[in-house]
Coordinates of all heavy atoms in Angstrom, one line a residue:
M183 N 0.8 -1.2 0.0 CA 0.0 0.0 0.0 C 0.9 1.2 0.0 O 1.8 1.3 0.8 CB -0.9 0.0 1.2 CG -1.8 1.2 1.3 SD -3.0 1.1 2.6 CE -2.0 1.4 4.0
I184 N 0.6 2.2 -0.9 CA 1.3 3.4 -1.0 C 0.6 4.5 -0.2 O -0.6 4.7 -0.4 CB 1.5 3.8 -2.4 CG1 2.3 2.7 -3.2 CG2 2.3 5.1 -2.5 CD1 2.4 2.9 -4.7
T185 N 1.3 5.2 0.6 CA 0.7 6.3 1.5 C 1.5 7.5 1.3 O 2.8 7.5 1.4 CB 0.7 5.8 3.0 OG1 -0.1 4.7 3.1 CG2 0.1 7.0 3.8
R186 N 0.8 8.6 1.1 CA 1.5 9.9 1.0 C 2.0 10.3 2.4 O 1.4 10.1 3.4 CB 0.5 11.0 0.5 CG 1.1 12.3 0.2 CD 0.1 13.2 -0.5 NE -1.0 13.5 0.4 CZ -1.1 14.5 1.2 NH1 -0.1 15.4 1.3 NH2 -2.2 14.7 1.9
V187 N 3.2 10.9 2.4 CA 3.8 11.3 3.7 C 3.7 12.9 3.8 O 4.1 13.6 2.9 CB 5.3 11.0 3.7 CG1 6.0 11.5 5.0 CG2 5.5 9.4 3.7
D188 N 3.0 13.3 4.8 CA 2.9 14.8 5.0 C 3.4 15.1 6.4 O 3.9 14.2 7.2 CB 1.4 15.2 4.9 CG 0.5 14.5 5.8 OD1 0.9 13.8 6.8 OD2 -0.7 14.6 5.5
E189 N 3.4 16.3 6.8 CA 3.9 16.8 8.1 C 3.2 16.1 9.3 O 3.8 15.8 10.3 CB 3.9 18.3 8.2 CG 4.9 19.0 7.4 CD 6.3 18.4 7.6 OE1 6.8 18.3 8.8 OE2 7.0 18.1 6.6
R190 N 1.9 15.9 9.1 CA 1.2 15.2 10.2 C 1.7 13.8 10.4 O 1.9 13.4 11.6 CB -0.3 15.2 9.9 CG -1.1 14.5 11.0 CD -2.6 14.5 10.7 NE -3.3 13.7 11.7 CZ -4.6 13.5 11.7 NH1 -5.3 13.9 10.7 NH2 -5.1 12.7 12.6
L191 N 1.9 13.1 9.4 CA 2.4 11.7 9.5 C 3.8 11.7 10.1 O 4.1 10.9 10.9 CB 2.4 11.0 8.1 CG 3.0 9.6 8.1 CD1 2.3 8.7 9.1 CD2 3.0 9.0 6.7
R192 N 4.6 12.7 9.7 CA 6.0 12.8 10.2 C 5.9 13.0 11.7 O 6.7 12.4 12.5 CB 6.8 13.8 9.5 CG 7.1 13.5 8.1 CD 8.0 14.6 7.4 NE 8.3 14.2 6.1 CZ 7.7 14.8 5.0 NH1 6.9 15.8 5.1 NH2 8.0 14.4 3.8
R193 N 5.1 13.9 12.1 CA 5.0 14.3 13.6 C 4.5 13.1 14.4 O 5.0 12.7 15.4 CB 4.0 15.4 13.8 CG 4.6 16.8 13.6 CD 3.6 17.9 14.2 NE 2.2 17.7 13.8 CZ 1.7 18.2 12.7 NH1 2.4 18.9 11.9 NH2 0.4 18.0 12.4
E194 N 3.5 12.4 13.9 CA 2.9 11.3 14.6 C 3.8 10.1 14.6 O 3.9 9.4 15.6 CB 1.5 11.0 14.0 CG 0.5 12.1 14.3 CD -0.9 11.8 13.8 OE1 -1.1 10.7 13.1 OE2 -1.8 12.5 14.1
A195 N 4.5 9.9 13.5 CA 5.5 8.8 13.5 C 6.6 9.0 14.5 O 7.0 8.0 15.2 CB 6.1 8.7 12.1
E196 N 7.0 10.2 14.7 CA 8.0 10.5 15.7 C 7.4 10.4 17.1 O 8.1 9.7 18.0 CB 8.5 12.0 15.5 CG 9.5 12.4 16.5 CD 10.9 11.8 16.3 OE1 11.1 11.3 15.2 OE2 11.7 11.7 17.3
R197 N 6.3 10.9 17.3 CA 5.7 10.8 18.6 C 5.4 9.4 19.1 O 5.6 9.1 20.3 CB 4.3 11.6 18.6 CG 3.6 11.6 20.0 CD 2.3 12.4 20.0 NE 2.6 13.7 19.6 CZ 1.6 14.6 19.2 NH1 0.4 14.2 19.0 NH2 1.9 15.8 18.9
Y198 N 4.9 8.6 18.2 CA 4.5 7.2 18.6 C 5.6 6.1 18.2 O 5.3 5.0 18.3 CB 3.2 6.9 18.0 CG 2.1 7.8 18.5 CD1 1.5 8.7 17.6 CD2 1.7 7.8 19.8 CE1 0.5 9.6 18.1 CE2 0.7 8.7 20.3 CZ 0.1 9.6 19.4 OH -0.8 10.4 19.8
S199 N 6.7 6.6 17.8 CA 7.8 5.7 17.4 C 7.3 4.6 16.4 O 7.5 3.4 16.5 CB 8.4 4.9 18.6 OG 8.9 5.8 19.5
F200 N 6.7 5.2 15.4 CA 6.1 4.3 14.3 C 7.1 3.5 13.6 O 8.2 4.0 13.2 CB 5.4 5.3 13.3 CG 4.7 4.6 12.2 CD1 3.8 3.6 12.4 CD2 4.8 5.1 10.9 CE1 3.1 3.0 11.4 CE2 4.2 4.5 9.8 CZ 3.3 3.5 10.1
R201 N 6.8 2.2 13.5 CA 7.8 1.3 12.8 C 7.0 0.6 11.6 O 5.9 0.1 11.9 CB 8.3 0.2 13.8 CG 9.1 0.7 14.9 CD 10.4 1.3 14.5 NE 11.2 1.8 15.6 CZ 11.3 3.1 15.9 NH1 10.6 4.0 15.2 NH2 12.0 3.5 16.9
F202 N 7.6 0.6 10.5 CA 6.9 -0.1 9.3 C 7.9 -0.7 8.4 O 7.5 -1.4 7.5 CB 6.1 1.0 8.6 CG 7.0 2.1 8.1 CD1 7.5 2.1 6.8 CD2 7.2 3.2 8.9 CE1 8.3 3.1 6.3 CE2 8.0 4.3 8.4 CZ 8.6 4.2 7.2
G203 N 9.2 -0.4 8.5 CA 10.2 -0.9 7.5 C 10.7 -2.3 7.8 O 10.4 -2.8 8.9
C204 N 11.4 -2.9 6.9 CA 11.9 -4.2 7.1 C 12.7 -4.3 8.4 O 12.7 -5.4 9.0 CB 12.7 -4.6 5.9 SG 11.8 -4.8 4.4
E205 N 13.5 -3.3 8.7 CA 14.4 -3.4 9.8 C 13.6 -3.7 11.1 O 14.2 -4.2 12.1 CB 15.1 -2.0 10.0 CG 16.0 -1.6 8.9 CD 15.3 -0.8 7.8 OE1 14.1 -0.9 7.7 OE2 16.0 -0.1 7.1
A206 N 12.3 -3.4 11.2 CA 11.5 -3.7 12.4 C 10.6 -4.9 12.2 O 9.9 -5.2 13.1 CB 10.7 -2.5 12.7
C207 N 10.8 -5.6 11.1 CA 9.9 -6.8 10.8 C 10.5 -8.1 11.3 O 11.8 -8.3 11.1 CB 9.6 -6.8 9.3 SG 8.6 -8.1 8.8
M208 N 9.7 -9.0 11.7 CA 10.2 -10.3 12.2 C 10.8 -11.1 11.0 O 11.6 -12.0 11.2 CB 9.2 -11.1 12.9 CG 8.1 -11.5 11.9 SD 7.0 -12.7 12.8 CE 6.6 -13.8 11.4
A209 N 10.4 -10.8 9.8 CA 10.9 -11.6 8.6 C 12.2 -11.0 8.0 O 12.7 -11.5 7.1 CB 9.9 -11.6 7.6
Y210 N 12.8 -10.0 8.7 CA 14.0 -9.3 8.1 C 15.2 -10.1 8.6 O 15.4 -10.3 9.7 CB 14.0 -7.9 8.6 CG 15.2 -7.1 8.0 CD1 15.4 -7.0 6.6 CD2 16.1 -6.5 8.8 CE1 16.5 -6.3 6.1 CE2 17.2 -5.8 8.3 CZ 17.3 -5.7 7.0 OH 18.4 -5.0 6.5
D211 N 16.1 -10.3 7.6 CA 17.4 -11.0 7.9 C 18.5 -9.9 7.7 O 18.8 -9.6 6.6 CB 17.6 -12.1 6.9 CG 19.0 -12.8 7.1 OD1 19.8 -12.2 7.8 OD2 19.2 -13.8 6.5
P212 N 18.9 -9.3 8.8 CA 19.9 -8.2 8.7 C 21.2 -8.6 8.1 O 21.9 -7.7 7.5 CB 20.0 -7.7 10.2 CG 19.5 -8.9 11.0 CD 18.6 -9.6 10.2
D213 N 21.6 -9.8 8.3 CA 22.9 -10.2 7.7 C 22.9 -10.1 6.2 O 23.9 -9.7 5.6 CB 23.3 -11.6 8.1 CG 23.5 -11.7 9.6 OD1 23.9 -10.7 10.2 OD2 23.3 -12.8 10.2
R214 N 21.8 -10.4 5.6 CA 21.7 -10.4 4.1 C 20.9 -9.1 3.7 O 20.8 -8.9 2.5 CB 20.9 -11.6 3.7 CG 21.6 -12.9 3.9 CD 20.9 -14.1 3.3 NE 19.5 -14.3 3.7 CZ 18.5 -14.3 2.9 NH1 18.6 -14.2 1.6 NH2 17.2 -14.4 3.4
R215 N 20.4 -8.4 4.6 CA 19.6 -7.2 4.3 C 18.4 -7.7 3.3 O 18.1 -7.0 2.4 CB 20.3 -6.1 3.7 CG 21.2 -5.4 4.7 CD 22.0 -4.2 4.1 NE 21.2 -3.2 3.4 CZ 20.5 -2.2 3.9 NH1 20.4 -2.1 5.3 NH2 19.8 -1.4 3.2
A216 N 17.9 -8.8 3.7 CA 16.9 -9.4 2.8 C 15.7 -9.9 3.6 O 15.7 -10.0 4.8 CB 17.5 -10.6 2.1
C217 N 14.6 -10.1 2.9 CA 13.4 -10.6 3.5 C 13.4 -12.2 3.5 O 13.7 -12.8 2.5 CB 12.2 -10.2 2.6 SG 10.6 -10.9 3.2
A218 N 13.2 -12.7 4.7 CA 13.2 -14.2 4.8 C 12.1 -14.8 4.1 O 12.1 -16.0 3.8 CB 13.1 -14.6 6.3
H219 N 11.1 -14.1 3.7 CA 10.0 -14.6 2.9 C 10.2 -14.4 1.4 O 9.3 -14.6 0.6 CB 8.7 -13.9 3.3 CG 8.2 -14.3 4.7 ND1 7.2 -13.6 5.3 CD2 8.7 -15.2 5.6 CE1 7.1 -14.0 6.6 NE2 8.0 -15.0 6.8
A220 N 11.4 -13.9 1.1 CA 11.9 -13.7 -0.3 C 11.1 -12.6 -1.0 O 11.1 -12.6 -2.3 CB 11.8 -15.0 -1.0
Y221 N 10.5 -11.7 -0.3 CA 9.8 -10.6 -1.0 C 10.9 -9.5 -1.4 O 11.8 -9.3 -0.6 CB 8.8 -9.9 -0.1 CG 7.6 -10.8 0.1 CD1 7.2 -11.1 1.4 CD2 6.8 -11.2 -0.9 CE1 6.1 -12.0 1.7 CE2 5.7 -12.0 -0.7 CZ 5.4 -12.4 0.6 OH 4.3 -13.2 0.8
P222 N 10.7 -8.8 -2.5 CA 11.6 -7.7 -2.8 C 11.4 -6.6 -1.7 O 10.2 -6.3 -1.4 CB 11.1 -7.2 -4.2 CG 9.7 -7.8 -4.3 CD 9.6 -9.0 -3.5
N223 N 12.4 -6.1 -1.2 CA 12.3 -5.2 -0.1 C 12.9 -3.8 -0.3 O 13.0 -3.0 0.6 CB 12.8 -5.8 1.2 CG 14.3 -6.0 1.2 OD1 14.9 -5.8 0.1 ND2 14.9 -6.5 2.2
G224 N 13.2 -3.5 -1.5 CA 13.8 -2.2 -1.8 C 13.0 -1.0 -1.4 O 13.5 0.0 -1.0
D225 N 11.7 -1.1 -1.4 CA 10.8 0.0 -1.1 C 10.7 0.1 0.4 O 10.1 1.1 0.9 CB 9.4 -0.2 -1.7 CG 9.4 0.1 -3.2 OD1 10.3 0.8 -3.6 OD2 8.6 -0.5 -3.9
H226 N 11.1 -0.9 1.2 CA 10.8 -0.9 2.6 C 12.0 -0.8 3.5 O 12.0 -1.0 4.7 CB 10.1 -2.2 3.0 CG 9.0 -2.6 2.1 ND1 7.9 -1.8 1.8 CD2 8.8 -3.7 1.3 CE1 7.1 -2.5 0.9 NE2 7.7 -3.6 0.6
L227 N 13.2 -0.6 2.9 CA 14.4 -0.5 3.6 C 15.0 0.9 3.7 O 14.9 1.6 2.7 CB 15.5 -1.4 3.0 CG 15.7 -2.8 3.4 CD1 16.8 -3.5 2.6 CD2 16.0 -2.9 4.9
D228 N 15.5 1.3 4.8 CA 16.2 2.6 5.0 C 15.3 3.8 4.6 O 15.8 4.7 4.0 CB 17.5 2.6 4.1 CG 18.5 1.5 4.4 OD1 18.6 1.2 5.6 OD2 19.1 1.0 3.5
V229 N 14.1 3.6 4.9 CA 13.1 4.7 4.6 C 13.2 5.8 5.7 O 13.1 5.6 6.9 CB 11.7 4.2 4.6 CG1 10.7 5.4 4.3 CG2 11.5 3.1 3.5
D230 N 13.5 7.0 5.3 CA 13.6 8.2 6.2 C 12.4 9.1 5.9 O 12.4 9.7 4.8 CB 15.0 8.9 5.9 CG 15.2 10.1 6.8 OD1 14.2 10.6 7.4 OD2 16.3 10.6 6.9
L231 N 11.5 9.1 6.8 CA 10.3 9.8 6.6 C 10.5 11.3 6.4 O 9.7 12.0 5.8 CB 9.3 9.6 7.7 CG 8.6 8.3 7.8 CD1 7.6 8.2 9.0 CD2 7.9 7.9 6.5
S232 N 11.6 11.8 6.8 CA 11.9 13.3 6.6 C 12.3 13.6 5.2 O 12.4 14.7 4.8 CB 13.0 13.7 7.6 OG 14.2 13.2 7.3
K233 N 12.6 12.5 4.4 CA 13.1 12.7 3.1 C 12.2 12.2 1.9 O 12.6 12.3 0.8 CB 14.5 12.1 3.0 CG 15.5 12.8 3.9 CD 16.9 12.1 3.8 CE 17.8 12.8 4.7 NZ 19.1 12.1 4.8
V234 N 11.1 11.6 2.3 CA 10.3 11.0 1.3 C 8.9 11.6 1.3 O 8.5 12.2 2.3 CB 10.2 9.5 1.4 CG1 11.5 8.8 1.3 CG2 9.5 9.1 2.8
E235 N 8.2 11.5 0.2 CA 6.9 12.1 0.1 C 5.9 11.0 0.0 O 4.7 11.2 0.0 CB 6.8 13.0 -1.2 CG 7.8 14.1 -1.1 CD 7.4 15.3 -1.9 OE1 6.5 15.2 -2.7 OE2 8.0 16.3 -1.6
K236 N 6.3 9.7 0.0 CA 5.4 8.6 0.0 C 6.1 7.4 0.6 O 7.4 7.3 0.5 CB 4.8 8.2 -1.4 CG 5.9 7.7 -2.3 CD 5.3 7.3 -3.7 CE 6.5 6.8 -4.5 NZ 6.1 6.4 -5.8
V237 N 5.4 6.5 1.2 CA 6.0 5.2 1.6 C 5.2 4.1 1.1 O 4.0 4.2 0.8 CB 6.0 5.1 3.2 CG1 7.0 6.0 3.8 CG2 4.7 5.3 3.8
V238 N 5.8 3.0 0.9 CA 5.2 1.8 0.4 C 5.2 0.7 1.5 O 6.2 0.2 1.9 CB 5.9 1.2 -0.8 CG1 5.2 -0.1 -1.4 CG2 6.1 2.2 -1.9
F239 N 4.0 0.5 2.1 CA 3.9 -0.5 3.2 C 3.8 -1.9 2.7 O 3.2 -2.1 1.6 CB 2.7 -0.2 4.0 CG 2.7 1.1 4.8 CD1 2.0 2.2 4.4 CD2 3.6 1.3 5.9 CE1 2.1 3.4 5.1 CE2 3.7 2.5 6.6 CZ 2.9 3.5 6.1
C240 N 4.5 -2.8 3.4 CA 4.5 -4.2 3.0 C 3.3 -4.8 3.8 O 3.1 -4.7 5.0 CB 5.8 -4.8 3.5 SG 5.8 -6.6 3.2
K241 N 2.5 -5.6 3.0 CA 1.3 -6.3 3.6 C 1.7 -7.4 4.5 O 0.9 -7.9 5.3 CB 0.4 -6.8 2.5 CG -0.3 -5.7 1.8 CD -1.3 -6.2 0.8 CE -2.0 -5.1 0.1 NZ -2.9 -5.6 -0.9
E242 N 3.0 -7.9 4.4 CA 3.4 -9.0 5.3 C 4.1 -8.5 6.6 O 4.6 -9.3 7.4 CB 4.4 -9.9 4.5 CG 3.7 -10.7 3.5 CD 3.0 -11.9 4.1 OE1 3.5 -12.5 5.1 OE2 1.9 -12.2 3.7
F243 N 4.3 -7.2 6.7 CA 5.0 -6.6 7.8 C 4.4 -7.1 9.1 O 3.2 -7.1 9.4 CB 4.9 -5.1 7.9 CG 5.6 -4.5 9.1 CD1 7.0 -4.3 9.1 CD2 4.8 -4.2 10.2 CE1 7.5 -3.7 10.3 CE2 5.4 -3.7 11.3 CZ 6.8 -3.4 11.4
E244 N 5.3 -7.6 10.0 CA 4.9 -8.0 11.4 C 6.0 -7.6 12.3 O 7.2 -8.1 12.1 CB 4.6 -9.5 11.4 CG 3.9 -9.9 12.7 CD 3.3 -11.3 12.7 OE1 3.0 -11.8 11.6 OE2 3.2 -11.9 13.8
V245 N 5.7 -6.8 13.2 CA 6.7 -6.3 14.1 C 7.5 -7.4 14.8 O 6.9 -8.4 15.3 CB 6.2 -5.2 15.1 CG1 5.4 -5.9 16.2 CG2 7.3 -4.3 15.6
G246 N 8.8 -7.4 14.8 CA 9.6 -8.4 15.4 C 10.3 -8.1 16.6 O 10.2 -7.0 17.1
Ligands
LIG486 S1 7.8 -9.3 5.1 FE1 7.8 -7.3 4.1 S2 8.4 -5.8 5.7 FE2 8.9 -7.9 6.4 S3 11.1 -8.2 5.8 FE3 9.8 -9.0 4.1 S4 9.6 -7.3 2.7 FE4 10.3 -6.4 4.6

């Protein structure tokens, strides 16, 4: 799912320590910087909300 990033989202993400990227997902393998479920993860890695205007959420994300 693609979501537009605006100032409100940035503020709330900071306030509530919002996690959505692979780095916070139980399926993330940090040694390989890859998804253990073999999904392409280029859109979900190293996302800096202060620098992007949209984010692509992974439907398989599960906080780890
Ligand atoms: S399931 Fe999705 S969010 Fe989790 S590591 Fe794989 S690509 Fe990233």
Side-chain angles (χ1 to χ4, degrees):
M183 181 173 73
I184 300 172
T185 298
R186 187 170 63 89
V187 175
D188 57 14
E189 286 308 311
R190 179 178 175 185
L191 177 57
R192 291 184 180 105
R193 277 195 313 273
E194 292 182 353
E196 178 71 21
R197 178 179 301 159
Y198 299 111
S199 301
F200 182 47
R201 298 291 180 261
F202 60 91
C204 294
E205 297 91 337
C207 178
M208 68 168 216
Y210 182 58
D211 177 348
D213 294 335
R214 297 186 302 122
R215 289 181 51 81
C217 174
H219 296 167
Y221 291 120
N223 64 356
D225 287 334
H226 317 299
L227 266 179
D228 303 321
V229 178
D230 181 345
L231 287 181
S232 70
K233 296 180 179 170
V234 297
E235 303 207 345
K236 66 178 182 179
V237 291
V238 181
F239 291 107
C240 175
K241 290 183 177 179
E242 286 285 317
F243 176 85
E244 190 166 336
V245 75

